[in-house]
Amino acid sequence: DMGLAGEVGVTPGGSQDIRYARDLIASGQIPAEEHFTAEGLFSEHDLPLSGEECGQTLCPRGAASWTDPVGNIGPEMLIQLGFGTDITEDNFQRRPLNLALAVDISGSMGSGDKMPSTREALHTLVDQLDSGDHMALVAFDDTAVLLQGRTMMDSAGRTAMHNTINGLGPQGGTCIECGMTKAYDQVAPHAGDVDIEDRVMLFTDAQPNVGATGLNSFLGMARYYAEADIGLSAFGVGLDLGSELVSELTKVRGGNAFYLADSDAIAKVFDEEFDFIVSPIAYDLEVEVEAGPGMEFAAAYGAPLDDPAPEIDFGASTLFLSKRKGGIGVTLRHTDGGPFYNDVASEGLATFHMTFETLDGEIKEDSVVVDFGGGSTIHEQWVPSDDLGVYKMSVLLDEYLALMAGARFCQGILTQEQAVEQIKDAQKRLQGTASHLTDGPLQAEVSLMEQLLLNMQGGSGNCAPEDYYYY
């Protein structure tokens, strides 16, 4: 009974899952820090916040929860910033697409089931298109080849594209620069209509070894075209994915990223959620957060944070529509180090002032003041949270910190015993919340923590190698 029925969710861009870390854990490894993000974890879950019905593109919503994060940080207040929208399941219709795909067919894509999984994803994607959409297909290895130019995706166009996809096979080196350049060349001449979504999609295991291989080269290209509102969606494949490239590219305006772990993930992304992942709702969200009297910031999750201070700025380059309601988390502490109590109400914890740009270029301003009401009754049980979304976010934050503990063990920052203790604490808290809410996705996180604990028994020998990017 939380959130508003029928309302479509809103979530920040960037990484939209932590499937890559999940696959590493399933294979017996301990993920490194660059293999997962807080926003990716949050985006996999529905974190609804209640509030008044929204009558505009975006309506900020906030809620607070008392939390005692794993790792003996001490009690803090967690604030979730989320958004409502006047877009509903009934009135939503995605914009037509001006789309080009850049598909990696390099030799490294021949290992495992990378290429079959990529072809499966492409076929599923094509089935979502219709005569209002146009698509081009570029394949790249040492060089890039335009396999099919910009094509109307009516029945004949879809059939032609399916036939082209069937012929994709791995060979040669990896010139991502070549593929991205040729894909942008297909989209850019037809870009600029506000009623059409201009987008490039990159499918790769992100192991460039030909052409430009420095991260800044790719970021420069993505940022250049982002200024013309040409978005970039990156899809990573394979357990040897160079995840740093995928992650950084999708922090650019209009960017998002997904890991194609298996057929279930492909079906979810390209069948169930396709219309949303290609539908930005706002750009350049800038948030100034003013802490309440006697408060200061401890950390932010799902958004960058500078040194803790009474005021900070953070933001998101893009907000996308989503089947799930997402959010950004900020934790607060007392400036004098005093304790928080889980049932004591507090007014004016923080004020969020924000600006964002709508799809038609209009700059909007809004603000929200967040209080702590002292907890609430959720599913007939009192919890130290004011709303369902922030209640769930508090235990997902514990999971994120547990994943970080594993990574820091591998870096030599934490002992094995310290990391194991934090993972066990997160697992217990997830189990309690998942049982209380009968929440299947949270129960899956319990299983993930259990497997990570098993992997920790193998010590540093199970540490996944950190990404190496420059060649």
Side-chain angles (χ1 to χ4, degrees):
D1 59 352
M2 300 290 183
L4 299 179
E7 187 179 69
V8 170
V10 177
T11 191
S15 298
Q16 297 300 295
D17 57 61
I18 62 163
R19 292 192 188 105
Y20 185 47
R22 295 184 193 281
D23 268 16
L24 290 172
I25 293 172
S27 69
Q29 300 182 67
I30 304 167
E33 189 171 341
E34 64 265 28
H35 296 149
F36 56 89
T37 64
E39 62 267 27
L41 177 59
F42 293 163
S43 293
E44 291 186 325
H45 292 265
D46 191 22
L47 308 175
L49 295 181
S50 54
E52 295 181 359
E53 185 174 356
C54 182
Q56 57 190 35
T57 303
L58 283 179
C59 298
R61 293 176 180 154
S65 174
W66 178 91
T67 183
D68 188 5
V70 299
N72 298 316
I73 296 171
E76 297 176 336
M77 295 303 300
L78 170 66
I79 298 178
Q80 177 186 341
L81 175 64
F83 294 93
T85 176
D86 60 357
I87 299 173
T88 67
E89 296 173 2
D90 291 335
N91 67 24
F92 169 70
Q93 184 174 4
R94 73 163 171 85
R95 296 183 295 171
L97 288 169
N98 171 30
L99 177 66
L101 311 186
V103 182
D104 191 341
I105 59 167
S106 62
S108 62
M109 290 286 288
S111 63
D113 61 354
K114 293 183 192 178
M115 203 69 239
S117 293
T118 300
R119 284 194 295 265
E120 180 186 353
L122 298 178
H123 283 306
T124 307
L125 185 160
V126 168
D127 287 338
Q128 309 311 309
L129 306 180
D130 57 34
S131 58
D133 304 309
H134 289 78
M135 176 178 144
L137 179 60
V138 173
F140 65 90
D141 48 18
D142 302 88
T143 59
V145 178
L146 177 62
L147 295 182
Q148 189 160 330
R150 189 171 183 269
T151 302
M152 178 187 294
M153 299 307 292
D154 53 14
S155 178
R158 291 194 300 274
T159 298
M161 199 65 73
H162 281 307
N163 290 336
T164 302
I165 291 166
N166 286 333
L168 293 175
Q171 58 190 13
T174 311
C175 182
I176 295 179
E177 176 194 24
C178 303
M180 289 178 63
T181 298
K182 197 169 285 290
Y184 278 120
D185 285 346
Q186 288 293 302
V187 172
H190 309 279
D193 187 335
V194 71
D195 294 323
I196 294 176
E197 171 65 16
D198 304 312
R199 183 159 293 271
V200 164
M201 291 184 171
L202 172 67
F203 294 77
T204 182
D205 59 2
Q207 301 179 55
N209 53 23
V210 178
T213 57
L215 183 58
N216 287 336
S217 300
F218 300 112
L219 286 175
M221 186 187 307
R223 286 170 178 155
Y224 174 80
Y225 286 104
E227 289 300 313
D229 287 337
I230 300 176
L232 176 66
S233 295
F235 300 91
V237 293
L239 270 180
D240 50 353
L241 173 72
S243 58
E244 180 190 8
L245 170 62
V246 172
S247 176
E248 290 301 317
L249 280 176
T250 55
K251 292 178 182 177
V252 175
R253 175 181 167 114
N256 52 12
F258 305 82
Y259 178 64
L260 304 182
D262 50 33
S263 294
D264 288 342
I266 290 168
K268 192 173 187 65
V269 171
F270 292 108
D271 190 354
E272 299 176 30
E273 302 182 355
F274 180 77
D275 286 352
F276 293 100
I277 71 174
V278 295
S279 298
I281 188 175
Y283 295 115
D284 298 334
L285 172 70
E286 296 182 4
V287 184
E288 181 184 277
V289 193
E290 181 182 354
M295 301 286 183
E296 65 179 7
F297 286 89
Y301 302 91
L305 173 66
D306 295 325
D307 294 333
E311 292 186 6
I312 62 164
D313 296 326
F314 66 83
S317 60
T318 317
L319 295 174
F320 283 85
L321 294 175
S322 172
K323 281 187 173 290
R324 293 170 297 281
K325 298 172 177 67
I328 297 169
V330 176
T331 52
L332 302 174
R333 61 190 175 203
H334 286 299
T335 53
D336 61 4
F340 285 107
Y341 298 99
N342 64 9
D343 59 353
V344 177
S346 180
E347 295 184 356
L349 285 177
T351 303
F352 292 78
H353 305 281
M354 63 204 72
T355 63
F356 59 90
E357 181 183 334
T358 64
L359 294 183
D360 59 6
E362 184 179 0
I363 304 300
K364 297 276 192 176
E365 297 183 3
D366 213 330
S367 63
V368 61
V369 179
V370 181
D371 306 317
F372 179 52
S376 61
T377 299
I378 297 177
H379 289 202
E380 300 182 349
Q381 179 178 315
W382 181 88
V383 295
S385 305
D386 283 345
D387 216 333
L388 176 61
V390 71
Y391 177 41
K392 294 170 67 172
M393 180 181 277
S394 67
V395 294
L396 290 171
L397 174 56
D398 284 331
E399 178 181 354
Y400 173 74
L401 294 174
L403 290 168
M404 288 295 295
R408 287 171 176 166
F409 158 68
C410 290
Q411 295 170 341
I413 298 172
L414 294 179
T415 67
Q416 186 175 12
E417 182 181 6
Q418 289 170 329
V420 165
E421 181 182 0
Q422 293 188 35
I423 298 168
K424 284 183 176 179
D425 285 347
Q427 185 267 338
K428 291 176 183 176
R429 296 180 189 187
L430 283 162
Q431 181 65 72
T433 306
S435 298
H436 171 216
L437 299 177
T438 59
D439 189 301
L442 284 182
Q443 189 61 51
E445 306 299 356
V446 176
S447 300
L448 187 74
M449 292 294 97
E450 291 171 347
Q451 182 61 53
L452 182 57
L453 284 170
L454 290 175
N455 299 350
M456 288 293 300
Q457 293 177 8
S460 58
N462 285 340
C463 292
E466 296 184 8
D467 284 351
Y468 56 95
Y469 185 76
Y470 295 101
Y471 291 78

